[in-house]
């Protein structure tokens, strides 16, 4: 196992990951953020260098971490050989198995390996799967300009909006999530539509893997085209900064799937997989 500390090697890795799209997109987004200031204090682990067969991005070991915060304790995975990923995951220096954490990736094998290794570590795994999308070319995005209510303005999210986002996110509703969302707002691009009181009515923000997440419109403002405006504006903003405009959607969320198709989003053949790992000794504490 090697930790890539060299900026030269990290820039090399970013370019190498481009050769393995779309499966490498999650790791690629994390490495891009590392190479552009590293606001979430991540680092990269590989099985070997430069001919790596598996790569994991993880929180820096010297960072102060909350062992119960799976939002921030997030890892992205890409492998060329499944056995190499398994061996990297089994290495006791790769993952902190004593905390609650998540692994994200776009390859089915990560589920099998995570569950196999987690069992030996006495860790429970909950898996979620989503359809993965990318806006490959900003020029293909439709023009969604329309006559918007003059009381509304297009802006960026503010940290003060984190509580509203926390209340409306299916993964939220707790202080750790609110802290995580506030950090995302501070560090990464976002777009929202504000009412005349400065409160967001529709929004989307970017996470630590350069992924568009938590796109949401308040119920009373739906079916007015705001989601389309927010999504296209954020996608163009990400493209202008050199990031891939990627996102994910629940298969059963029919309105969102239809909206994304109308925006010429490309639905990728690989699914986005998120696995929450929770050590057995935490399972008796359902509030965690």
């Amino acid at each position: 196992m090697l930790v890539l500390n060299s900026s030269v090697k990290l820039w090399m890795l970013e370019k190498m990951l481009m050769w393995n799209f779309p499966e490498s997109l999650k790791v690629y987004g994390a490495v891009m953020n590392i190479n552009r200031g590293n606001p979430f204090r991540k680092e990269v682990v590989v099985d070997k260098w430069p001919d790596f067969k598996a790569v994991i991005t993880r929180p820096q070991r010297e960072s102060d971490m909350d062992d119960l915060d799976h939002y921030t304790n997030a890892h992205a995975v890409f492998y060329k050989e499944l056995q190499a990923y398994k061996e990297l995951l089994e290495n006791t220096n790769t993952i902190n198995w004593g905390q609650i954490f998540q692994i994200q990736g776009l390859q089915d094998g990560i589920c099998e390996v995570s569950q196999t290794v987690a069992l030996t570590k006495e860790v429970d795994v909950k898996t979620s799967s989503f359809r993965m999308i990318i806006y490959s070319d900003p020029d293909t995005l439709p023009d969604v300009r329309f006559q918007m209510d003059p009381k509304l303005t297009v802006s960026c999210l503010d940290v003060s909006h984190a509580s509203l986002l926390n209340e409306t996110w299916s993964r939220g509703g707790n202080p750790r999530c609110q802290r995580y969302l506030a950090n995302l707002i501070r560090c990464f691009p976002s777009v929202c539509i504000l009412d005349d009181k400065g409160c967001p009515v529709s929004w989307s923000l970017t996470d630590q893997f350069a992924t568009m997440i938590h796109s949401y419109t308040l119920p009373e403002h739906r079916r007015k085209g705001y989601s389309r405006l927010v999504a296209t504006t954020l996608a163009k903003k990400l493209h202008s900064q050199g990031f891939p405009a990627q996102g994910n959607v629940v298969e059963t969320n029919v309105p969102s799937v239809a909206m994304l198709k109308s925006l010429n989003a490309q639905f990728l053949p690989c699914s986005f997989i998120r696995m929450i790992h929770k050590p057995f000794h935490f399972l008796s504490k359902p509030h965690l």
Side-chain angles (χ1 to χ4, degrees):
M1 184 204 79
L2 298 172
V3 179
L4 292 189
N5 293 318
S6 163
S7 60
V8 173
K9 292 179 180 178
L10 288 168
W11 280 101
M12 287 176 59
L13 177 62
E14 181 178 318
K15 295 183 182 300
M16 294 163 73
L17 290 168
M18 294 176 67
W19 304 339
N20 295 278
F21 283 175
E23 288 83 3
S24 64
L25 271 169
K26 284 292 178 179
V27 171
Y28 177 75
V31 173
M32 286 192 74
N33 279 321
I34 292 172
N35 287 336
R36 289 157 181 79
N38 200 11
F40 256 66
R41 302 177 70 182
K42 298 290 185 178
E43 62 186 11
V44 177
V45 176
V46 294
D47 60 323
K48 58 183 179 180
W49 183 263
D51 299 320
F52 70 90
K53 300 301 180 184
V55 55
I56 297 175
T57 64
R58 69 182 188 185
Q60 291 177 344
R61 284 300 174 91
E62 61 270 23
S63 300
D64 293 330
M65 293 184 291
D66 177 353
D67 286 340
L68 306 181
D69 182 8
H70 74 266
Y71 303 99
T72 302
N73 300 335
H75 305 66
V77 170
F78 168 69
Y79 65 83
K80 296 179 182 178
E81 293 183 4
L82 187 58
Q83 182 60 30
Y85 169 55
K86 184 174 185 293
E87 292 174 0
L88 188 59
L89 199 62
E90 289 173 330
N91 188 312
T92 55
N93 293 320
T94 302
I95 298 286
N96 180 358
W97 290 91
Q99 66 179 195
I100 300 175
F101 67 94
Q102 63 172 292
I103 291 178
Q104 297 187 10
L106 300 174
Q107 295 165 286
D108 291 338
I110 64 175
C111 288
E112 172 191 343
V113 168
S114 270
Q115 290 167 348
T116 299
V117 177
L119 188 61
T120 69
K121 306 287 186 179
E122 297 188 335
V123 171
D124 180 66
V125 181
K126 300 296 184 186
T127 302
S128 302
S129 179
F130 308 82
R131 296 190 72 177
M132 185 74 183
I133 65 100
I134 189 168
Y135 300 100
S136 56
D137 184 350
D139 292 334
T140 66
L141 290 167
D143 187 347
V144 296
R145 287 179 296 179
F146 56 90
Q147 190 64 38
M148 192 167 65
D149 186 329
K151 295 181 180 180
L152 302 178
T153 57
V154 179
S155 184
C156 298
L157 289 165
D158 183 83
V159 173
S160 63
H161 301 142
S163 60
L164 174 61
L165 272 63
N166 183 40
E167 293 169 3
T168 54
W169 197 17
S170 60
R171 294 178 56 205
N174 61 79
R176 290 186 177 88
C177 182
Q178 182 165 327
R179 182 174 66 241
Y180 171 67
L181 291 169
N183 286 334
L184 293 184
I185 292 170
R186 289 189 190 96
C187 297
F188 303 119
S190 65
V191 173
C192 69
I193 296 176
L194 301 177
D195 63 16
D196 55 351
K197 297 179 181 178
C199 181
V201 302
S202 182
W203 61 82
S204 184
L205 68 159
T206 313
D207 75 358
Q208 56 194 307
F209 303 115
T211 304
M212 298 165 64
I213 67 163
H214 191 23
S215 297
Y216 187 86
T217 300
L218 295 177
E220 61 269 29
H221 293 277
R222 291 174 183 169
R223 308 185 72 83
K224 298 179 181 179
Y226 298 154
S227 292
R228 288 166 54 85
L229 178 60
V230 166
T232 55
T233 303
L234 182 55
K236 290 177 180 178
K237 179 183 288 191
L238 289 170
H239 273 291
S240 71
Q241 297 181 17
F243 288 90
Q246 56 175 313
N248 52 75
V249 62
V250 178
E251 179 77 42
T252 55
N253 189 342
V254 177
S256 291
V257 170
M259 187 270 289
L260 290 167
K261 289 181 178 179
S262 75
L263 295 178
N264 301 319
Q266 178 185 355
F267 284 78
L268 301 181
C270 47
S271 296
F272 162 54
I273 299 166
R274 182 180 65 239
M275 294 162 291
I276 306 296
H277 296 65
K278 183 182 289 188
F280 288 169
H281 63 271
F282 287 132
L283 294 179
S284 60
K285 304 175 181 179
H287 61 287
L288 298 180

